[in-house]
Amino acid sequence: MQIKTGIAVSPGVAIGRAFVLGAEDFRIPDGSVSVDAVESEVTRFKTALRNVDEEIKANEALTTQHLGKEYAAIFKAHRQFVNDPKLIEQIETLIREQHQSPEFAASQVLRKFAKELQHLGDKYLAERAADIFDLERSLLRHLLGEKREELSHLTVPVIVLAHNLTPSETAGLNPKYVQAFATEVGGSTSHTAILAGALEIPAIVGVGEFLTDISGGEMIIIDGNNGRLIIGPDQATQEQYQVAQERFRSKHQALQKLGSGQAITTDGTEITVCGNIEFPEEATSCTKHGADGIGLYRTEFLYLGSMRERTEDDHYQAYLKVLKTFPEATVTIRTLDVGADKIPGGMMHLYKDGSNPELGLRSIRVSLACTDLFKTQLRAILRAAVHGNIRVMFPLVSSIAEFRQAKMVYRDVCEDLEDQKIEHNPDIQVGMMVEVPSAAIMAEEFAREVDFFSIGTNDLIQYTLAADRSDPLVSKYYNASDPSVLYLVRRVLFAARDADIPVSVCGQMSSEPMFVPLLLGMGLRELSVTPQAIPVIKELIRSVSIRDCEELATKAYDLDLARDIENFLRGELIRFSPELINE
Ligand code: PEP
Ligand code: MG
């Protein structure tokens, strides 16, 4: 049994079989073959091995021809491994004596060998381990051939283990079959993590290297409450987690009931708790969890996973779907936030030069660079706004000039619709996300121009602390409790209060119970959170008074270390609502 830890990003406990997504998305089928099939399986293995050898030989010849003999030398090492009698014998023995499938046996033996090389302490040999993993992939490709299974073809429940999952891959996960997932990389507020929460799949990210220990089919436990991945759990651990799973389920069910009704503090202040969505279908999950409206609709997900250009009608239909679920409540549509980790297939060509995606052409910058795209979306928003209470906001605004430019395009679109006599609502509120430090610093000036603010703490934290939100290597620097982050959030809340405009926090910070009393104490009265967090957040609000929260905030302002602030907020949360904490 091995226990690994990662970043817990979506709560819950899952116990099931591993589905490993390697670099080539192979799934290694279940381990055993029948006694009668042993000889034919050995033959199948040997044929695959021969084919791999032929393939390497062909590559060697090609490389010699184009680059010269020295470069082709690397293939010699590959061929040595393919023809290594000891390796072949070990794999054959597993097939013959333990009746393991060739895929499973080859994967086990090659990975074990690669790991031994990695741990010999010799740099050259450690690098050869990569050749072994390459070899494993080639062999699996030949063995599995047409049988290669992909994530979209799942027919039984599994736990997905991968180096990384892109946001669009995550969005495509079917919760019916994907019990949970764990990835080697990823950060707490990466879009992959956010989607796991939206899909209500227990998940952990940023576990570090673990795939070399797994072939697929092993028993796995994912503890999404505490960020634990357990490979090959013993009987006692499985039983312990079955109990934890049951406890989580019943507590979760009990909490869901708390979503309905208003969130009013003990001293009578009503707080609006809206939901964040990525797809129109999630609107129903928001109503189920008791959302007072939609505080953030990440519309770019309409584009992800598809090469096809989206039409005005595609947008329009998506917005109408949300309005059908929320005909009266506020629906806040954020215009496209493509770029960074969300690049639609059809836009890949824009990002070929390897520039830093987080600081590059992203969000409103893309919309302003591709005004046709921007106008198409704005037309759909203004048309849909006839049918409900829509407001629009622009993401990643970093200067007043940029906001004005976006507003100008917005006005152009209104005029076009007017000229074309197309029914639309030109009087919707136009706001902005505050998620770049420059915007928070200039909050007072912005407050004179915008109709509302929505604070995107996920990005605000990464840009303030120069720590990539998706990179586990810098996760210790990415800290919502950092006093600099609290300073900027407070600045925006105060600017909104002084200008008397609405302000909400839609970043993950407001989905974290620990931060809610602090945000209320700073003056926040509207939050937008992951749908499944709504009941807990509402119940927490019902257990605090604004006075307590203001006192708590004043104490937090006096602390200058993120660690102290975090410990303080955790302690206060336990004092307010111990029963809301996930075990
Ligand atoms: C944010 O940055 O906090 C935010 C809500 O936007 P996203 O997570 O989509 O970048
Ligand atoms: Mg953002």
Short mmCIF file of all heavy atoms in Angstrom, two decimals, residues 62-71:
data_model
loop_
_atom_site.label_atom_id
_atom_site.label_comp_id
_atom_site.label_asym_id
_atom_site.label_seq_id
_atom_site.Cartn_x
_atom_site.Cartn_y
_atom_site.Cartn_z
N LEU A 62 16.19 5.90 -40.82
CA LEU A 62 15.75 7.23 -41.26
C LEU A 62 16.61 8.33 -40.63
O LEU A 62 17.03 9.29 -41.29
CB LEU A 62 14.29 7.41 -40.81
CG LEU A 62 13.42 8.27 -41.69
CD1 LEU A 62 13.23 7.61 -43.04
CD2 LEU A 62 12.05 8.45 -41.01
N THR A 63 16.90 8.17 -39.35
CA THR A 63 17.70 9.18 -38.64
C THR A 63 19.14 9.19 -39.16
O THR A 63 19.73 10.25 -39.35
CB THR A 63 17.69 8.90 -37.12
OG1 THR A 63 16.35 8.69 -36.73
CG2 THR A 63 18.26 10.05 -36.33
N THR A 64 19.68 8.00 -39.44
CA THR A 64 21.05 7.93 -39.99
C THR A 64 21.09 8.70 -41.31
O THR A 64 21.99 9.50 -41.56
CB THR A 64 21.46 6.46 -40.23
OG1 THR A 64 21.20 5.73 -39.05
CG2 THR A 64 22.93 6.34 -40.60
N GLN A 65 20.07 8.46 -42.11
CA GLN A 65 20.02 9.11 -43.43
C GLN A 65 19.95 10.63 -43.31
O GLN A 65 20.64 11.36 -44.00
CB GLN A 65 18.80 8.56 -44.17
CG GLN A 65 18.70 8.97 -45.62
CD GLN A 65 17.34 8.53 -46.17
OE1 GLN A 65 16.65 7.68 -45.60
NE2 GLN A 65 16.96 9.14 -47.27
N HIS A 66 19.12 11.13 -42.40
CA HIS A 66 18.90 12.59 -42.32
C HIS A 66 19.90 13.31 -41.43
O HIS A 66 20.30 14.43 -41.72
CB HIS A 66 17.49 12.89 -41.82
CG HIS A 66 16.45 12.50 -42.81
ND1 HIS A 66 16.37 13.07 -44.05
CD2 HIS A 66 15.46 11.58 -42.76
CE1 HIS A 66 15.38 12.53 -44.74
NE2 HIS A 66 14.81 11.61 -43.96
N LEU A 67 20.27 12.68 -40.32
CA LEU A 67 21.09 13.41 -39.33
C LEU A 67 22.47 12.81 -39.10
O LEU A 67 23.33 13.43 -38.49
CB LEU A 67 20.34 13.46 -37.99
CG LEU A 67 19.01 14.18 -37.99
CD1 LEU A 67 18.27 13.92 -36.69
CD2 LEU A 67 19.22 15.68 -38.16
N GLY A 68 22.65 11.60 -39.52
CA GLY A 68 23.96 10.98 -39.31
C GLY A 68 23.93 9.91 -38.24
O GLY A 68 22.98 9.82 -37.46
N LYS A 69 25.01 9.14 -38.24
CA LYS A 69 25.09 7.96 -37.37
C LYS A 69 25.01 8.27 -35.88
O LYS A 69 24.40 7.55 -35.10
CB LYS A 69 26.41 7.24 -37.64
CG LYS A 69 26.26 6.05 -38.54
CD LYS A 69 27.48 5.17 -38.39
CE LYS A 69 27.13 3.79 -38.86
NZ LYS A 69 27.83 3.30 -39.94
N GLU A 70 25.67 9.39 -35.49
CA GLU A 70 25.73 9.72 -34.05
C GLU A 70 24.32 9.84 -33.47
O GLU A 70 24.03 9.36 -32.38
CB GLU A 70 26.46 11.04 -33.78
CG GLU A 70 27.85 11.14 -34.32
CD GLU A 70 27.87 11.62 -35.77
OE1 GLU A 70 27.00 11.25 -36.59
OE2 GLU A 70 28.76 12.38 -36.08
N TYR A 71 23.46 10.54 -34.25
CA TYR A 71 22.10 10.76 -33.74
C TYR A 71 21.31 9.46 -33.68
O TYR A 71 20.47 9.26 -32.82
CB TYR A 71 21.36 11.78 -34.62
CG TYR A 71 21.89 13.17 -34.40
CD1 TYR A 71 22.92 13.67 -35.19
CD2 TYR A 71 21.39 13.97 -33.39
CE1 TYR A 71 23.43 14.94 -34.98
CE2 TYR A 71 21.90 15.24 -33.17
CZ TYR A 71 22.92 15.72 -33.97
OH TYR A 71 23.42 16.97 -33.75
#
